[in-house]
C-alpha cells in the first residue's frame, strides 16, 4: 500500500494559541472562573453576615483591600466580557418567528441588553442606591 | 490588465518520498483579479505539474477547493489575491490527515454523514400521484439556510473541538441533521436525536462559533447546534413529565408535520 | 489488480448517476450496485446548475405545449418519441424529488412555484432560488445514503470500458488515493459522466467536465451523436466564464448593448417587451442559441463594450429591485459582486456568451441503451435526443432524472432478460491490457510537450474555428489542428511518477479524452453544411431539411484517425419542421 496519510498533531494544551478566534473563546470560558470566584466571595459575605456584626465588618474591610479591589475590577471586566459575548451569541440559539422570517439578530441582542439594564435598575432601586 | 507577482508558499507532502510535510515557495505572475486557486493552477500548469489539489467549479459551490490560506480555512476559488499581500501561505485543511500536498483524507466525514440520516424520514410515504407536499414559504425558510451546506469541510478545519476529538460528529453533519429536523415534510427527528444527542454529538460542541465564522455559505452550523441543544433539553424534560410531556411533544410535532 | 464484482456499475455520481443508483436500489434490493466517480458525488457539476428544472404541473400548462416548445427550441432535430416520453415523465420525477426533500421555492399557498425560462411559452421551470442544480444534487446524494446496496467508489477515475465478445462487462479505473488500477466486473455499465465543455477556453463548466465517459464509449465503438451542437449560454461572466442563470432573464432581466439599446429586437425576437414585464418566448426569453448569435452580430457591428476580458454586453437587472434579487437570485448577485465587482442591484453586469452544454453525446435510444450491449448512458454525456440542435434551459436537470431512472430500469431488464454473466478471465485480460496502457504513459520519454501547452492550443483552435459561427475554412483548419494535437498527445509524458493522488496522469488522460471529442465536434460540424440551432455556418446560412434533418454519428477509427461521420434519421411523430418563431406573435 503506497498510502501514508500524514496526521498533523493538535497540541493538547496550547491549541488555543493558534489564532485570535480561539483565544477570544478561551477568554470567554476563563471569564466564568472569575464569576465563580466572585460568587464564592459573595456567599462568604452572607456567611459573615449571619455570624454577626464583627464578622461582617471584617469582611467589609477585607473587601476594600487593594487586592480585593483589583480582583473586583478584573471580575467586573470579565463578567462584562462574558455577558457581551453571550448576548451577541444568543440570536444563534433563539430564533423567534416574525412574519415569514425571524426577529432579526441585532434586535434579539438589543433586547438582552435592555433586559439587563432593566433588571440592574430594579436591583439598584431595591437596594436603595437610586 | 494589471499584473502582480506573488510568493506562494505551499505545504508539500508526497507519501512516497517525504517523512513530513515541507514548504515550497513559488513565484507566480498573477492578474489582479485572480483568486488563490488561479495562482495554484498557474503553478500546476507552468511551474510544477506534480502539485496535487482538488478543484472544479471555480464558483464556490462544489466545495472541492477548501484550503488553509494564511492560516484561515477558505475556498481557494473565493480567496481574492487583492485581499492578501505579496506572500501567501497555502496549506491543506487543518484537522484532516494529509493524503498528498493539498489533498486531505475525507473518509471521516463521509462515514459520519450517513449516521445522522440526512434525508427525509417518514412513517408513511406519500404516493407520487398525490402530488407535492405543501410547504409554506416560512416552512421552507425554517430549514433553507441549513440546506446550503456544500460539504467543503472548512468548518471542521476551524472547529477546535474536532481537532481535539475527531470522534465529534462535527458542524456540517450536525447542521444537515438539523436541516432535515426542521423540514416540515420530515418525521425523523427522534431517530436522528439518538445519534446527534448521544456521545460525540451536539454536547461535544462548546460553542466556539468558529464554524459559522468561516462558513462560505452562511449556513451557521453553530446556530444549528445550539438550537438542537435547546430542543434536546426540552425533550429530556418532557420525557420526565410523563403523560403530560408526551402530549405536549406530540402536539408540538403534529403542528410541524400538518399538511 | 483489485477486482470488484457487481451487477451494475455506474460511472459518474452527478444527478443522473445518483438517480440511476437510487432507481436500481429501489428496483431490486438484492442488486449489487457500484457507483464510481472521479470526485465525491457532491462535487459533481450538477451542483453548478442554477435556474431550474422544467416539468408541467400548473393547470394553465400542457404536455403538448412543453413538447412543442422543446421540439421547436431544438430546431426539429429532437427525436420526438423521446421528447414525448421525457415530458410525460418530467412532473413525476420532479414531484419525487420534492418528496425526497428538495427545497423547491414555493408559492404562498405552499405549492411548488415555477418561473419563466427561455424558449418556453408557459412558466414551467421548478426552481430552488438560483441554486436548483445544487439542491437537486445534494438531495439525490443525501437520499442515496439511505440505500446500503449502493456501494460508492469515490475519487476513482474510470479510464476504459471492458468489452468482451461485443458486450460491456465492466470498467477499469484508477483509485486516486493509491494510484492502483481496479477492475469493476459488471453485467451492465451506465455512463453518467457529464459533458466535455472544458475543451473550450471560456466555459461555465467545472474542471472535471472533460468528457471522459463520452470518450470511453467512443473508443469502445459507440457512435457519438450530434457532437457539432455546442450550446453557448448567453450570460456568463467574462473573466471566469461563471454562469449567471437564465433565471435572471426569467425574472425580468434585460440585455443591452453599449448604447443601452435592447438589441434582441433587431434579431427576430422583437418587439421590445416592457421593462420588468417579461413576455414569454420572445426578447430576453428567446432561446439560448438565438441570444448568443445576436451577441455575435452586435460584436460584428461594434455595438459591444470592450473590457479587458474581451467584448461584452450588459445584463440589466436594476429594475427588479433589491428585495426580488435577494429572494430569487441571491447566488448570482454574490457571484457578480465577487468575481466581477458589480452589484446587480445598482449596476449593469458585463456578460458574454460562454460554452455551457453539449447537446450531442453517446448515442442512445429512447430506453437509454447504446448500440453496445450492456452499455447505457444518461445525462449530458448521452444524446437521446431530446435536445436536438439547441437545448431549452431547464430541460437538462429534468433529463438527468427521467433518463437516469430509465437507464437503471433498462439495465435491470437487460440483466434479467439476457441472463448475462461476466466472463471473468476474459475481463481480466482486457483489464490487464488497460493497465499496461496506463503504465506506458509513465514510461514515455520526457519531451517538450506539456499538458497545459497542448490544452492551450486546443482552446485556441476550438474557440477560433468551432465557436458560435463557423465556416468551411475555420473548421478545416480546426480539424487539421486537432489531428496534429492528437498526434502530439501520443508523445506527451507524465512527469509526476508517484502513485498517490497523481493529478498529472489524470490531466493527461483527460486531455486525451477532450482531444478525441473535440475532433468529433469539429468533424461533425464540418460535414453539416447547413445552419440549425446552435450550429451556425456562415457559408451555409439556411436550415436544410432535405439533406440534414438527420443526426450526425461520429465513429471512432483509431488513435490518430479522424472519425467517420454518418447520419441517422430523426424520429418525427407529430411535429413537422417549421419556422422557429420568437417574435412574440400570438400562436
Amino acid at each position: 500500500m503506497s498510502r501514508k496519510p500524514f496526521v498533523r498533531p493538535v497540541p493538547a494544551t496550547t491549541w488555543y494559541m493558534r489564532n485570535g478566534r480561539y483565544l477570544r473563546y478561551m477568554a470567554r470560558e476563563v471569564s466564568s472562573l472569575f464569576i465563580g470566584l466572585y460568587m464564592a466571595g459573595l456567599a462568604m459575605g452572607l456567611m459573615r453576615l449571619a455570624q454577626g456584626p464583627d464578622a461582617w465588618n471584617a469582611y467589609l474591610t477585607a473587601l476594600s483591600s487593594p487586592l480585593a479591589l483589583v480582583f473586583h475590577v478584573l471580575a467586573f471586566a470579565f463578567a462584562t466580557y462574558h455577558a457581551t459575548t453571550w448576548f451577541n451569541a444568543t440570536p444563534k440559539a433563539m430564533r423567534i418567528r416574525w412574519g415569514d422570517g425571524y426577529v432579526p439578530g441585532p434586535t434579539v441582542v438589543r433586547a438582552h441588553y435592555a433586559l439587563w439594564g432593566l433588571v440592574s435598575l430594579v436591583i439598584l432601586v431595591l437596594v436603595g442606591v437610586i | 490588465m494589471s499584473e502582480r507577482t506573488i510568493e506562494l508558499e505551499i505545504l508539500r507532502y508526497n507519501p512516497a518520498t517525504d517523512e513530513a510535510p515541507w514548504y515550497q515557495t513559488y513565484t507566480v505572475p498573477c492578474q489582479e483579479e485572480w483568486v488563490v486557486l488561479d495562482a495554484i493552477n498557474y503553478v500546476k500548469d507552468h511551474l510544477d505539474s506534480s502539485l496535487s489539489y482538488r478543484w472544479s467549479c471555480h464558483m464556490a459551490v462544489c466545495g472541492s477547493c477548501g484550503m488553509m490560506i494564511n492560516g484561515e480555512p477558505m475556498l481557494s476559488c473565493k480567496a481574492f489575491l487583492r485581499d492578501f499581500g505579496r506572500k501567501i501561505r497555502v496549506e491543506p485543511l487543518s484537522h484532516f490527515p494529509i493524503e498528498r500536498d493539498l489533498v486531505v483524507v475525507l473518509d471521516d466525514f463521509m462515514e459520519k454523514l450517513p449516521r445522522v440520516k440526512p434525508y427525509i424520514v417518514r412513517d408513511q410515504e406519500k404516493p407520487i400521484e398525490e402530488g407535492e407536499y405543501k410547504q409554506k414559504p416560512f416552512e421552507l425558510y425554517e430549514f433553507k439556510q441549513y440546506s446550503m451546506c456544500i460539504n467543503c469541510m472548512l468548518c471542521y478545519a476551524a472547529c477546535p473541538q474536532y481537532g481535539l476529538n475527531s470522534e465529534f460528529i462535527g458542524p456540517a453533519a450536525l447542521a444537515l441533521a438539523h436541516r432535515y429536523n426542521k423540514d416540515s415534510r420530515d418525521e425523523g427527528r427522534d431517530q436522528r436525536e439518538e445519534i446527534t444527542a448521544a456521545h460525540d454529538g451536539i454536547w461535544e460542541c462548546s460553542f466556539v462559533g468558529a464554524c459559522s465564522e468561516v462558513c462560505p455559505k452562511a449556513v451557521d452550523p453553530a446556530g444549528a447546534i445550539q438550537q438542537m441543544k435547546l430542543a434536546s433539553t426540552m425533550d429530556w424534560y418532557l420525557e420526565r413529565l410523563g403523560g403530560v410531556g408526551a402530549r405536549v411533544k406530540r402536539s408540538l410535532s403534529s403542528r410541524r408535520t400538518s399538511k | 489488480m483489485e477486482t470488484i464484482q457487481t451487477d451494475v456499475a455506474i460511472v459518474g455520481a452527478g444527478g443522473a448517476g445518483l438517480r440511476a443508483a437510487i432507481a436500481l436500489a429501489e428496483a431490486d434490493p438484492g442488486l449489487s450496485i457500484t457507483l464510481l466517480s472521479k470526485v465525491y458525488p457532491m462535487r459533481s457539476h450538477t451542483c453548478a446548475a442554477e435556474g431550474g428544472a422544467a416539468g408541467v404541473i400548473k393547470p394553465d400548462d400542457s404536455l403538448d405545449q412543453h413538447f412543442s416548445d422543446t421540439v421547436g427550441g431544438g430546431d426539429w432535430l429532437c427525436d420526438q418519441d423521446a421528447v414525448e416520453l421525457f415530458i410525460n415523465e418530467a412532473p413525476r420525477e420532479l414531484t419525487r424529488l420534492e418528496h425526497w426533500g428538495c427545497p423547491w421555492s414555493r408559492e404562498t399557498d405552499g405549492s411548488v412555484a415555477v418561473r419563466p425560462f427561455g424558449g418556453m411559452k408557459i412558466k414551467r421551470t421548478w426552481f430552488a432560488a438560483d441554486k436548483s442544480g445544487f439542491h437537486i444534487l445534494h438531495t439525490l446524494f443525501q437520499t442515496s445514503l439511505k440505500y446500503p446496496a449502493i456501494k460508492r467508489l469515490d475519487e476513482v477515475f474510470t479510464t476504459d470500458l471492458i468489452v468482451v465478445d461485443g458486450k460491456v462487462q465492466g470498467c477499469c479505473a484508477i483509485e486516486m488515493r493509491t494510484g492502483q488500477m481496479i477492475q469493476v466486473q459488471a453485467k451492465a455499465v451506465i455512463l453518467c459522466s457529464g459533458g466535455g465543455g472544458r475543451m473550450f477556453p471560456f466555459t461555465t463548466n467545472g474542471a472535471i467536465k472533460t468528457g471522459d465517459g463520452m470518450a470511453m464509449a467512443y473508443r469502445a465503438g459507440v457512435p457519438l451523436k450530434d457532437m457539432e451542437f455546442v450550446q453557448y449560454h448567453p450570460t456568463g461572466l467574462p473573466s471566469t466564464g461563471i454562469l449567471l442563470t437564465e433565471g435572471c432573464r426569467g425574472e425580468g432581466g434585460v440585455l443591452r448593448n453599449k448604447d443601452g439599446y435592447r438589441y434582441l429586437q433587431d434579431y427576430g425576437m422583437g418587439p421590445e417587451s416592457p421593462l420588468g414585464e417579461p413576455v414569454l418566448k420572445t426578447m430576453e426569453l428567446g432561446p439560448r442559441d438565438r441570444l448568443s448569435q445576436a451577441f455575435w452580430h452586435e460584436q460584428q457591428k461594434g455595438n459591444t463594450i470592450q473590457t479587458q476580458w474581451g467584448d461584452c454586453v450588459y445584463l440589466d437587472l436594476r429594475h427588479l429591485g433589491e428585495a426580488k434579487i435577494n429572494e430569487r437570485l441571491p447566488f448570482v448577485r454574490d457571484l457578480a459582486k465577487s468575481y466581477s465587482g458589480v452589484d446587480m442591484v445598482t449596476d449593469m453586469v458585463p456578460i458574454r456568451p460562454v460554452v455551457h452544454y453539449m447537446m450531442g453525446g453517446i448515442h442512445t435510444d429512447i430506453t437509454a441503451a447504446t448500440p453496445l450491449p450492456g452499455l447505457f448512458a444518461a445525462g449530458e454525456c448521452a444524446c437521446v435526443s431530446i435536445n436536438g440542435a439547441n437545448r431549452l434551459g431547464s430541460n437538462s436537470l429534468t433529463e438527468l432524472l427521467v433518463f437516469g431512472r430509465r437507464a437503471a430500469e433498462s439495465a435491470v431488464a437487460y440483466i434479467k432478460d439476457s441472463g448475462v454473466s461476466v466472463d471473468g478471465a476474459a475481463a481480466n485480460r482486457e483489464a490487464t491490457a488497460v493497465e499496461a496502457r496506463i503504465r506506458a504513459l509513465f514510461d514515455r520519454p520526457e519531451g517538450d510537450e506539456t499538458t497545459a501547452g497542448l490544452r492551450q492550443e486546443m482552446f485556441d483552435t476550438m474557440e477560433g474555428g468551432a465557436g458560435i459561427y463557423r465556416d468551411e475554412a475555420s473548421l478545416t483548419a480546426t480539424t487539421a489542428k486537432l489531428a496534429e494535437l492528437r498526434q502530439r498527445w501520443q508523445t506527451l509524458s507524465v512527469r509526476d511518477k508517484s502513485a498517490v493522488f497523481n493529478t498529472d496522469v489524470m490531466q493527461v488522460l483527460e486531455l486525451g479524452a477532450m482531444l478525441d471529442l473535440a475532433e468529433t465536434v469539429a468533424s461533425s460540424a464540418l460535414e453539416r453544411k447547413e445552419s440549425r440551432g446552435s450550429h451556425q455556418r456562415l457559408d451555409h446560412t439556411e436550415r436544410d431539411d432535405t439533406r440534414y434533418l438527420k443526426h450526425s454519428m461520429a465513429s471512432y477509427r483509431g488513435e490518430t484517425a479522424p472519425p467517420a461521420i454518418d447520419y441517422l434519421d430523426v424520429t418525427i411523430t407529430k411535429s413537422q419542421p417549421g419556422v422557429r418563431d420568437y417574435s412574440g406573435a400570438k400562436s
Side-chain angles (χ1 to χ4, degrees):
Chain A
M1 188 62 101
S2 46
R3 291 184 70 207
K4 195 179 73 184
F6 185 87
V7 178
R8 290 160 289 175
V10 174
T13 50
T14 55
W15 60 267
Y16 54 87
M17 308 289 276
R18 283 188 296 169
N19 68 39
R21 189 179 287 133
Y22 297 168
L23 266 176
R24 285 194 295 278
Y25 158 76
M26 278 310 257
R28 187 186 84 198
E29 299 296 290
V30 165
S31 64
S32 54
L33 202 70
F34 285 85
I35 292 164
L37 285 172
Y38 176 79
M39 294 308 289
L42 207 62
M44 201 174 0
L46 284 175
M47 232 160 65
R48 291 284 176 269
L49 190 64
Q51 283 164 359
D54 288 348
W56 174 243
N57 284 331
Y59 173 74
L60 288 183
T61 316
L63 275 191
S64 42
S65 77
L67 201 67
L69 282 176
V70 168
F71 170 76
H72 277 85
V73 168
L74 267 178
F76 181 71
F78 271 108
T80 311
Y81 183 71
H82 192 93
T84 346
T85 50
W86 275 110
F87 285 179
N88 290 342
T90 44
K92 287 200 186 304
M94 290 181 68
R95 300 228 290 180
I96 304 156
R97 182 165 174 180
W98 184 263
D100 267 346
Y102 296 106
V103 176
T107 310
V108 174
V109 176
R110 277 196 287 271
H112 276 83
Y113 280 107
L115 199 66
W116 186 20
L118 191 72
V119 169
S120 304
L121 198 70
V122 168
I123 289 174
L124 290 175
V125 167
L126 279 179
V127 298
V129 176
I130 316 177
Chain B
M1 269 182 257
S2 56
E3 293 194 17
R4 59 185 281 206
T5 302
I6 61 162
E7 301 280 312
L8 207 54
E9 194 180 30
I10 299 181
L11 194 69
R12 302 295 310 270
Y13 174 68
N14 182 344
T17 50
D18 300 329
E19 276 311 307
W22 53 283
Y23 289 98
Q24 183 165 6
T25 303
Y26 301 94
T27 305
V28 187
C30 297
Q31 303 296 330
E32 190 57 39
E33 73 274 6
W34 275 12
V35 290
V36 171
L37 176 61
D38 295 321
I40 296 173
N41 281 338
Y42 184 92
V43 173
K44 176 83 177 167
D45 286 350
H46 302 286
L47 304 177
D48 187 348
S49 69
S50 74
L51 181 65
S52 285
Y53 54 100
R54 297 183 175 109
W55 74 288
S56 178
C57 75
H58 200 293
M59 58 190 280
V61 73
C62 80
S64 308
C65 69
M67 297 167 192
M68 306 300 288
I69 299 173
N70 283 354
E72 271 286 296
M74 298 178 92
L75 295 176
S76 59
C77 73
K78 232 190 160 194
F80 291 88
L81 295 184
R82 57 177 179 253
D83 298 329
F84 296 91
R86 188 185 150 78
K87 226 177 149 86
I88 302 173
R89 174 176 276 206
V90 182
E91 299 159 292
L93 284 179
S94 291
H95 304 155
F96 293 97
I98 306 175
E99 189 80 78
R100 173 176 178 181
D101 295 340
L102 299 170
V103 176
V104 293
V105 182
L106 296 178
D107 294 0
D108 185 53
F109 174 74
M110 295 308 281
E111 180 273 319
K112 280 169 179 161
L113 184 61
R115 272 164 50 195
V116 304
K117 297 184 194 285
Y119 38 78
I120 297 281
V121 173
R122 287 189 64 86
D123 302 334
Q124 199 110 54
E125 302 270 348
K126 176 169 165 165
I128 296 294
E129 293 68 36
E130 289 176 20
E132 81 263 42
Y133 294 105
K134 298 281 189 250
Q135 192 166 57
K136 294 277 171 59
F138 179 73
E139 291 173 315
L140 173 64
Y141 184 78
E142 264 196 301
F143 73 89
K144 186 73 193 275
Q145 178 178 16
Y146 308 111
S147 74
M148 304 299 265
C149 172
I150 60 173
N151 304 174
C152 65
M153 302 290 104
L154 300 194
C155 53
Y156 286 75
C159 174
Q161 296 299 339
Y162 180 69
L164 294 167
N165 169 22
S166 63
E167 296 297 309
F168 176 36
I169 293 173
L174 289 171
L176 279 167
H178 190 58
R179 171 249 177 276
Y180 282 96
N181 287 345
K182 299 295 278 182
D183 192 318
S184 60
R185 296 165 287 192
D186 180 76
E187 294 166 354
R189 188 162 80 87
D190 288 345
Q191 288 184 38
R192 278 182 213 104
E193 212 168 59
E194 284 172 25
I195 305 295
T196 59
H199 263 312
D200 305 320
I202 48 178
W203 301 106
E204 267 299 297
C205 164
S206 58
F207 202 3
V208 179
C211 53
S212 297
E213 286 178 43
V214 302
C215 177
K217 296 284 133 185
V219 171
D220 192 10
I225 295 171
Q226 307 326 305
Q227 290 163 40
M228 289 169 91
K229 287 180 185 170
L230 264 177
S232 160
T233 310
M234 280 277 274
D235 286 350
W236 191 87
Y237 281 112
L238 288 175
E239 270 163 34
R240 264 135 202 90
L241 278 177
V244 183
R247 264 204 305 284
V248 172
K249 196 176 168 188
R250 246 198 324 279
S251 80
L252 281 174
S253 66
S254 74
R255 192 159 54 85
R256 281 200 335 104
T257 53
S258 62
K259 312 273 145 36
Chain C
M1 184 175 1
E2 189 188 349
T3 304
I4 292 167
Q5 276 157 345
T6 187
D7 289 321
V8 184
I10 305 169
V11 180
L18 288 165
R19 182 65 190 91
I22 294 171
L24 286 169
E26 289 196 330
D28 178 357
L31 220 52
S32 68
I33 306 153
T34 305
L35 179 55
L36 301 89
S37 172
K38 69 172 172 178
V39 289
Y40 283 100
M42 56 280 188
R43 315 297 184 217
S44 306
H45 203 63
T46 304
C47 73
E50 293 169 356
V56 173
I57 186 175
K58 297 293 176 188
D60 63 343
D61 200 357
S62 75
L63 297 172
D64 276 346
Q65 190 64 57
H66 191 184
F67 174 87
S68 61
D69 286 346
T70 301
V71 171
D75 219 349
W76 280 272
L77 199 67
C78 319
D79 283 323
Q80 295 180 9
D81 53 345
V83 176
E84 280 182 63
L85 175 129
F86 162 72
I87 277 155
N88 288 335
E89 283 289 310
R92 280 178 69 85
E93 279 300 315
L94 294 175
T95 304
R96 196 183 315 267
L97 211 56
E98 195 279 334
H99 287 201
W100 285 338
C102 189
W104 296 119
S105 294
R106 305 282 176 158
E107 306 284 1
T108 45
D109 70 352
S111 60
V112 167
V114 288
R115 72 166 28 137
F117 240 62
M120 303 276 193
K121 189 75 190 162
I122 292 168
K123 290 199 281 183
R124 63 170 70 94
T125 298
W126 300 38
F127 62 100
D130 54 357
K131 291 182 102 174
S132 309
F134 165 81
H135 286 299
I136 288 175
L137 180 71
H138 281 252
T139 301
L140 286 170
F141 168 57
Q142 288 160 7
T143 302
S144 80
L145 299 174
K146 262 200 307 202
Y147 301 93
I150 302 172
K151 298 273 183 269
R152 280 202 333 270
L153 298 178
D154 297 330
E155 298 199 317
V156 163
F157 181 71
T158 307
T159 63
D160 291 83
L161 292 167
I162 298 176
V163 184
V164 177
D165 291 338
K167 288 198 192 93
V168 167
Q169 303 250 294
C171 56
C172 293
I174 304 170
E175 186 184 32
M176 294 304 294
R177 57 167 56 185
T178 59
Q180 302 303 306
M181 207 74 199
I182 49 181
Q183 54 172 310
V184 179
Q185 297 182 351
K187 295 170 186 163
V189 174
I190 305 175
L191 291 174
C192 302
S193 48
R198 276 271 154 184
M199 68 177 75
F200 287 88
F202 285 104
T203 173
T204 61
N205 286 193
I208 57 175
K209 292 201 62 189
T210 49
D212 320 315
M214 284 184 185
M216 226 181 288
Y218 176 57
R219 291 173 195 147
V222 182
L224 298 181
K225 196 198 294 172
D226 294 338
M227 289 298 281
E228 62 272 42
F229 297 99
V230 176
Q231 179 164 77
Y232 278 75
H233 196 291
T235 57
L237 292 181
S239 56
T240 51
I242 287 173
L243 169 70
L244 299 187
T245 172
E246 191 159 301
C248 293
R249 285 170 283 126
E251 299 297 343
V254 299
L255 296 179
R256 299 181 187 279
N257 67 14
K258 72 166 197 255
D259 306 317
Y261 176 67
R262 290 174 63 193
Y263 58 90
L264 293 177
Q265 57 192 296
D266 296 350
Y267 301 96
M269 286 176 277
E272 186 173 339
S273 53
L275 201 60
E277 297 166 38
V279 178
L280 287 147
K281 220 172 167 177
T282 186
M283 286 299 286
E284 283 80 7
L285 292 178
R288 291 176 179 172
D289 56 340
R290 288 288 175 84
L291 264 63
S292 295
Q293 288 150 18
F295 168 87
W296 186 89
H297 287 291
E298 286 294 293
Q299 193 177 26
Q300 300 301 307
K301 291 180 190 166
N303 289 340
T304 45
I305 322 134
Q306 268 85 52
T307 75
Q308 52 179 315
W309 309 285
D311 292 341
C312 288
V313 288
Y314 288 121
L315 173 65
D316 184 2
L317 289 135
R318 293 171 301 177
H319 49 280
L320 298 188
E322 187 165 7
K324 183 156 187 186
I325 289 175
N326 284 347
E327 184 211 333
R328 295 289 175 95
L329 305 161
F331 183 45
V332 291
R333 183 185 181 191
D334 175 51
L335 289 171
K337 207 189 255 175
S338 301
Y339 293 97
S340 279
V342 178
D343 186 351
M344 50 177 56
V345 171
T346 52
D347 292 290
M348 299 193 287
V349 192
I351 49 97
R352 57 163 279 180
V354 284
V355 168
H356 184 56
Y357 185 88
M358 300 182 70
M359 270 68 75
I362 302 164
H363 170 47
T364 75
D365 63 16
I366 193 167
T367 70
T370 73
L372 185 60
L375 184 66
F376 304 83
E380 191 182 349
C381 75
C383 180
V384 181
S385 147
I386 63 154
N387 298 314
N390 172 62
R391 176 174 71 83
L392 289 193
S394 76
N395 269 349
S396 68
L397 285 176
T398 314
E399 183 184 359
L400 301 175
L401 304 168
V402 172
F403 287 97
R405 182 176 131 235
R406 208 165 165 76
E409 288 167 353
S410 301
V412 172
Y414 168 77
I415 291 174
K416 299 220 161 124
D417 294 350
S418 66
V420 59
S421 62
V422 173
D423 180 346
N428 191 49
R429 275 196 300 279
E430 290 286 316
T432 311
V434 170
E435 189 178 29
R437 188 176 66 79
I438 305 287
R439 286 272 154 256
L441 293 176
F442 288 85
D443 299 334
R444 286 179 182 175
E446 206 165 299
D448 296 335
E449 300 290 5
T450 63
T451 307
L454 286 184
R455 193 168 54 209
Q456 188 59 49
E457 288 185 49
M458 172 182 71
F459 285 166
D460 294 342
T461 194
M462 290 307 282
E463 164 124 312
I468 300 178
Y469 278 90
R470 305 146 169 191
D471 63 21
E472 181 94 20
S474 74
L475 286 166
T476 307
T478 297
T479 47
K481 181 71 188 175
L482 288 168
E484 175 208 317
L485 292 175
R486 282 182 79 205
Q487 256 326 329
R488 286 164 59 194
W489 183 87
Q490 300 292 329
T491 65
L492 179 62
S493 63
V494 178
R495 282 173 172 73
D496 178 3
K497 311 291 184 197
S498 51
V500 174
F501 224 95
N502 186 330
T503 47
D504 194 15
V505 68
M506 191 162 161
Q507 288 193 347
V508 168
L509 290 165
E510 288 174 337
L511 178 64
M514 285 191 289
L515 286 170
D516 284 2
L517 298 184
E519 200 178 35
T520 66
V521 171
S523 298
S524 306
L526 180 60
E527 292 304 315
R528 186 177 286 276
K529 295 177 172 54
E530 64 156 354
S531 288
R532 182 188 297 273
S534 68
H535 172 70
Q536 294 291 312
R537 292 274 302 246
L538 292 167
D539 47 353
H540 299 280
T541 53
E542 296 301 316
R543 194 176 78 193
D544 181 354
D545 288 328
T546 327
R547 292 174 66 196
Y548 292 109
L549 186 58
K550 288 182 167 64
H551 299 297
S552 66
M553 305 286 271
S555 301
Y556 186 69
R557 289 196 306 175
E559 279 182 345
T560 50
I565 307 293
D566 239 325
Y567 291 94
L568 181 73
D569 283 340
V570 172
T571 306
I572 291 186
T573 57
K574 56 185 183 188
S575 173
Q576 290 303 317
V579 179
R580 299 172 76 200
D581 182 9
Y582 297 103
S583 65
K586 297 273 176 278
S587 59

